[in-house]
């Protein structure tokens, strides 16, 4: 008897599992968390999939209900199929993960991931080649990714010396740089969170320099992972044995973490 | 704790990106089987084995199925008298050579379009070559499972007639109606077979079959996708970066590691490019291509399904040939091109 009721419950488990994934996808969309997971170009695909899943589960539910009405307890013999998993196992796994997805709030990656993903190996490269090279823009209008792309096209740091910069990003302290520097970092996403990769520019803090009037900044002043807006001038520094374009900060202010922390 | 959080975010992002493609693949492969008349298609197949293998490799475009859907289709093709090179070419290439997989791979590797091209080119080459090699075996029956071989023998005895619907196995749709005491539908792929056999049934019945097919496939492939995404997320977050880098940067071990991963993870070909993407920054591009080419042809899940067609010996040959060709081609890519 218990076996029979388990069997008649199985089709409903399918319905639940599929509906739950539709709801999870909708939840990510409506709460704006989709930005943390995938590139916005593909949002529509996810949304369409969410509605299709809900439609499929709704139709399936309707047919199961109708079959049970028509035949009472003697419902049509459940379809036997030998599959990869024991009966109910696949749907239970999907349902469980969907519930976990409903409860969980995705998190934007932070400095630990940036370091793990080789922030220090490839300071100046983006994987997607520049679509348009906007050399005419005022230098202080460039964001971090614009700077990196400029460097990719013309890598000589001296060419940018003296240009004004005003960029936003979060603070990463790599182990190989001295107290006076941090890396202003952003993640770039091309498809989904699996391929986000960090880009960054070193920022030189004033270090108690009387000329700039800024207080001596060190790692305590700006916490790792906090978002800041840096204003300053471009200089060339030799860091870790390489000549690198660096921002000499003249002003630094904390900014709120953006809703969509990734760049494209 | 933070690491765990990252891993789960990564896991969800893989799923959110992959589920639409999985759904599209499942629905479209179900739909198209209503419209493609396999028998008419087969009458157009070339007799030459090299040409047959090539054409067989390309008909995946008409059946956008991943490696779970292609096995029953290949079995049907064989039973309906397809030349062996055609069936083998289809079996190996169909999961890769189809529009949805192109789109998904392109979505994932927008930044490295060459990966997409190598995937298509290598898959086509390998599938055609192996189909051609198998074409030299004039009588294919020793390689097939007894049940399938006897159907073919029956067909030969009845002077190679089309035998449309004459064999018992082809009539699975009838059993599906529940007229038999014991339901004979044994797996979701059988259900697909049943769908083809129902071309004459009313539309509403066919639509219900389509619905059931979609639900079953989503359940099966969805669970594999969940497990695969979890493995990818765990490897990426918890395995130390220098271990992965030392493995992934050498031209030889990177390919072997990715081929092993492809065979074990068994992730569906419509979504495997998102899995591979999470290794894009640490592994050589040859290794990524090896994963994308080898995985759809041979993996644990597909081997299980292939046992419904071939004897283990034949699967071993397929495995060996596909593995060697993938390894050599991608090694060449690593050493001389990229």
């Amino acid at each position: 008897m218990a076996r029979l009721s388990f069997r008649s419950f199985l089709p409903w488990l399918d319905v639940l599992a599929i509906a739950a994934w539709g709801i999870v996808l909708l939840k990510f969309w409506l709460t704006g968390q989709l930005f943390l997971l995938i590139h916005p170009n593909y949002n529509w695909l996810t949304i369409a999939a969410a509605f299709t899943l809900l439609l499929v589960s709704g139709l399936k539910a309707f047919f199961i209900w109708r079959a049970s009405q028509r035949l009472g307890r003697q419902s049509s013999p459940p379809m036997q199929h030998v599959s990869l998993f024991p009966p109910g196992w696949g749907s239970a796994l999907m349902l469980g993960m969907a519930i976990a997805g409903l409860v969980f709030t995705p998190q934007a990656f932070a400095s630990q991931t940036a370091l793990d993903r080789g922030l220090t190996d490839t300071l100046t490269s983006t994987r997607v080649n520049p679509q348009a090279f906007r050399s005419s823009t005022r230098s202080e209008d460039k964001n971090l990714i614009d700077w990196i792309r400029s460097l990719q096209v013309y890598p000589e740091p001296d060419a940018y010396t003296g240009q004004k910069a005003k960029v936003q990003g979060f603070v990463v302290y790599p182990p190989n740089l001295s107290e006076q520097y941090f890396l202003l970092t952003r993640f770039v996403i091309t498809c989904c969170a699996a391929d986000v990769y960090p880009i960054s520019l070193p920022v030189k803090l004033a270090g108690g320099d009387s000329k700039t009037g800024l207080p001596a900044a060190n790692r305590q002043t700006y916490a790792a992972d906090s978002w800041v807006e840096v204003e300053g001038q471009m200089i060339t520094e030799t860091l870790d044995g390489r000549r690198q374009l660096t921002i000499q900060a003249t002003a630094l202010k904390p900014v709120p973490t953006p809703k969509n922390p990734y760049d494209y | 704790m933070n690491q765990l959080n990252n891993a789960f975010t990564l896991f969800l992002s893989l799923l959110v990106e992959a589920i639409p493609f999985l759904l599209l693949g499942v629905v479209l492969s179900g739909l198209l089987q209503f419209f493609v008349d396999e028998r008419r298609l087969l009458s157009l197949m070339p007799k030459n084995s090299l040409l047959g293998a090539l054409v067989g490799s390309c008909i995946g475009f008409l059946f956008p199925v991943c490696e779970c859907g292609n096995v029953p289709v290949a079995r049907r093709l064989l039973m309906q008298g397809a030349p062996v090179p055609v069936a083998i070419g289809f079996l190996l290439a169909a999961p890769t050579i189809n529009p949805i997989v192109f789109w998904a791979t392109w979505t994932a590797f927008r930044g490295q379009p060459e990966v997409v091209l190598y995937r298509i080119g290598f898959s086509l080459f390998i599938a055609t070559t192996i189909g051609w090699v198998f074409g030299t075996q004039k009588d294919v029956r020793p390689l097939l499972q007894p049940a399938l071989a006897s159907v073919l023998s029956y067909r030969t005895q009845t002077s190679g007639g089309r035998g449309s619907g004459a064999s018992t196995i082809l009539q699975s749709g009838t059993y599906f109606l529940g007229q038999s005491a014991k339901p004979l539908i044994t797996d979701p792929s059988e259900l697909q077979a049943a769908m083809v056999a129902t071309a004459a049934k009313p539309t509403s019945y066919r639509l219900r079959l389509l619905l059931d097919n979609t639900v079953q496939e989503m359940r099966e492939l969805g669970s594999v996708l969940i497990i695969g995404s979890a493995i990818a997320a765990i490897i990426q977050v918890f395995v130390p970066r220098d271990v992965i880098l030392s493995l992934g940067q050498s031209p030889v071990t990177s390919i072997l590691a990715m081929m092993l991963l492809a065979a074990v993870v068994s992730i569906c070909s419509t979504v495997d490019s998102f899995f591979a993407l999470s290794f894009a920054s640490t592994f050589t591009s040859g290794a990524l291509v090896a994963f994308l080419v080898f995985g759809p042809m041979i993996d644990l899940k597909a081997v299980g399904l292939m046992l419904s067609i071939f004897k283990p010996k034949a699967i071993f040959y397929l495995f060996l040939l596909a593995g060697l060709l993938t390894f050599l081609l991608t090694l060449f890519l690593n050493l001389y091109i990229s």
Side-chain angles (χ1 to χ4, degrees), chain B residues 10-27:
Chain B
L10 201 69
F11 167 73
L12 282 177
S13 106
L14 284 173
L15 285 176
V16 166
E17 184 76 54
I19 283 179
F21 287 97
L22 187 64
L23 187 64
L24 194 66
V26 166
V27 171

Side-chain angles (χ1 to χ4, degrees), chain A residues 5 10 18 21 39 47 60 62 65 88 126 175 210 225 263:
Chain A
S5 59
L10 280 183
I18 290 176
W21 270 104
H39 191 289
I47 297 162
K60 181 77 186 164
F62 170 73
W65 173 78
T126 54
S210 57
D225 295 337
D263 210 329

Side-chain angles (χ1 to χ4, degrees), chain A residues 132-143 146-147 150 163-164:
Chain A
F133 184 54
R134 283 169 286 174
S135 60
S136 58
T137 43
R138 298 191 311 146
S139 67
E140 58 265 46
D141 290 343
K142 285 184 181 176
N143 63 18
D146 292 334
W147 279 108
S150 303
Q163 292 190 6
K164 282 182 185 162

Side-chain angles (χ1 to χ4, degrees), chain A residues 23 40 53 59 62 70 79 114 125 134 154 209 211 226-227 247 262:
Chain A
I23 293 169
L53 288 174
L59 282 175
F62 170 73
R70 205 179 278 166
M79 213 176 291
S125 71
R134 283 169 286 174
Y154 193 77
D209 193 338
K211 266 187 276 179
S226 60
W227 280 75
I247 306 173
Y262 298 131

Side-chain angles (χ1 to χ4, degrees), chain B:
Chain B
M1 196 55 215
N2 196 22
Q3 292 290 79
L4 204 63
N5 212 320
N6 283 344
F8 203 69
T9 302
L10 201 69
F11 167 73
L12 282 177
S13 106
L14 284 173
L15 285 176
V16 166
E17 184 76 54
I19 283 179
F21 287 97
L22 187 64
L23 187 64
L24 194 66
V26 166
V27 171
L28 208 61
S29 73
L31 265 181
L32 275 180
Q33 294 187 23
F34 284 151
F35 300 119
V36 179
D37 184 342
E38 287 170 11
R39 281 172 207 159
R40 194 176 311 152
L41 192 68
L42 282 182
S43 63
L44 301 175
M45 287 298 129
K47 292 283 171 284
N48 176 290
S49 61
L50 181 60
L51 218 54
L54 184 64
V55 173
S57 304
C58 294
I59 45 180
F61 247 99
L62 298 177
F63 302 88
V65 289
C66 63
E67 67 264 35
C68 337
N70 71 332
V71 174
V73 178
R75 186 169 51 185
R76 281 204 308 276
L77 290 178
L78 271 175
M79 282 192 300
Q80 291 171 6
V84 178
V86 174
I88 301 265
F90 175 80
L91 185 69
L92 295 178
T96 315
I97 309 298
N98 78 58
I100 295 174
V101 174
F102 286 4
W103 187 23
T105 316
W106 177 254
T107 303
F109 286 97
R110 229 163 17 117
Q112 297 160 270
E114 68 277 8
V115 169
V116 187
L117 295 180
Y118 287 132
R119 177 177 204 186
I120 297 167
F122 287 177
S123 299
L124 210 55
F125 176 77
I126 293 173
T128 308
T129 310
I130 298 180
W132 189 35
V133 168
F134 270 69
T136 58
Q137 169 97 2
K138 284 298 166 227
D139 183 4
V140 76
R141 278 171 291 169
L143 296 176
L144 300 179
Q145 289 289 352
L148 189 56
S150 67
V151 173
L152 288 189
S153 309
Y154 173 78
R155 286 175 41 79
T156 346
Q157 278 159 23
T158 54
S159 65
R162 282 260 151 226
S164 51
S167 92
T168 46
I169 300 175
L170 274 179
Q171 290 179 338
S172 44
T174 329
Y175 295 100
F176 181 72
L177 285 173
Q179 290 158 355
S180 139
K182 202 170 67 174
L184 276 191
I185 303 273
T186 52
D187 63 13
S189 25
E190 289 284 340
L191 190 62
Q192 287 188 344
M195 288 171 58
V196 172
T198 55
K201 299 280 186 323
T203 311
S204 63
Y205 177 79
R206 285 157 62 188
L207 286 181
R208 279 213 51 196
L209 270 185
L210 177 65
L211 178 68
D212 284 348
N213 178 58
T214 307
V215 170
Q216 285 198 1
E217 295 253 292
M218 278 310 285
R219 177 179 60 212
E220 292 287 311
L221 305 185
S223 338
V224 178
L225 176 62
I226 284 178
I227 295 173
S229 306
I231 294 175
I234 289 168
I235 292 179
Q236 218 190 342
V237 173
F238 294 106
V239 177
R241 187 178 158 78
D242 28 329
V243 175
I244 294 189
L245 273 182
S246 66
L247 197 64
Q249 290 301 307
S250 135
V252 176
T253 58
S254 64
I255 294 176
L256 291 177
M258 281 312 254
M259 282 172 63
L260 181 70
L261 204 59
V264 172
V265 169
S266 301
I267 196 165
C268 189
S269 66
T270 40
V271 290
D272 62 355
S273 32
F274 302 112
F275 181 97
L277 189 59
S278 61
F279 295 92
S281 57
T282 42
F283 274 72
T284 58
S285 31
L288 299 176
V289 175
F291 178 89
L292 295 173
V293 169
F294 189 63
M297 295 185 180
I298 309 281
D299 59 39
L300 287 183
K301 179 187 52 161
V303 166
L305 292 169
M306 277 186 196
L307 278 171
S308 66
I309 305 183
F310 295 111
K311 285 188 176 156
K313 187 173 69 174
I315 297 180
F316 178 72
Y317 290 154
L318 280 176
F319 178 84
L320 203 67
L321 278 172
L324 277 175
L325 284 171
T326 309
F327 180 73
L328 289 176
L329 285 173
T330 51
L331 187 65
F332 181 79
L333 182 65
N334 267 351
L335 293 180
Y336 295 103
I337 299 177
S338 61

Side-chain angles (χ1 to χ4, degrees), chain A residues 34-254:
Chain A
L34 213 47
F35 285 122
L36 299 178
L37 297 175
I38 61 172
H39 191 289
N41 275 4
Y42 307 110
N43 281 5
W44 66 271
L45 264 176
T46 307
I47 297 162
F51 285 112
T52 314
L53 288 174
L54 288 176
L55 179 74
V56 165
S57 75
L59 282 175
K60 181 77 186 164
F62 170 73
F63 283 120
I64 299 173
W65 173 78
R66 207 177 58 173
S68 69
Q69 289 288 302
R70 205 179 278 166
L71 298 164
R73 299 184 62 90
Q74 294 276 308
S75 59
S76 56
M79 213 176 291
Q80 298 273 331
H81 56 96
V82 179
S83 49
L84 254 42
F85 306 112
W89 203 90
S91 308
L93 180 67
M94 281 183 74
L95 184 60
M97 285 303 137
I99 292 170
L102 274 179
V103 176
F104 175 80
T105 308
Q107 224 184 28
F109 292 134
S111 57
Q112 186 55 47
T113 315
L115 293 172
D116 281 350
R117 292 200 179 183
L119 182 65
T120 46
D121 307 344
T122 50
L123 276 179
T124 53
S125 71
T126 54
R127 273 184 225 146
V128 179
N129 293 324
Q131 306 287 314
F133 184 54
R134 283 169 286 174
S135 60
S136 58
T137 43
R138 298 191 311 146
S139 67
E140 58 265 46
D141 290 343
K142 285 184 181 176
N143 63 18
L144 197 55
I145 200 167
D146 292 334
W147 279 108
I148 300 292
R149 283 181 181 151
S150 303
L151 275 174
Q152 223 175 348
V153 175
Y154 193 77
E156 172 52 48
D158 280 347
Y160 307 92
T161 302
Q163 292 190 6
K164 282 182 185 162
K166 185 178 172 187
V167 286
Q168 292 190 350
F170 63 90
V171 178
V172 173
Y173 292 108
N176 54 346
L177 290 189
S178 70
E179 288 268 311
Q180 215 183 354
Y181 299 90
F182 67 79
L183 292 177
L184 188 73
T185 308
R186 289 200 80 151
F187 279 113
V188 180
I189 191 170
T190 38
C191 167
C192 57
D195 70 284
V196 295
Y197 59 97
I199 54 163
S200 66
L201 277 179
V203 173
K204 186 180 188 186
L205 297 170
D209 193 338
S210 57
K211 266 187 276 179
T212 60
L214 276 175
N218 58 30
R219 296 192 174 194
Q220 274 77 51
T221 324
Y222 304 100
D225 295 337
S226 60
W227 280 75
V228 291
E229 183 176 271
V230 177
E231 275 187 76
Q233 283 199 333
M234 287 304 183
I235 54 171
T236 304
E237 291 277 290
T238 303
L239 301 172
D240 223 12
R242 278 196 301 184
R243 289 172 65 243
Q244 288 186 359
L245 187 66
T246 305
I247 306 173
Q248 168 80 61
T250 51
L252 261 160
K253 67 171 183 212

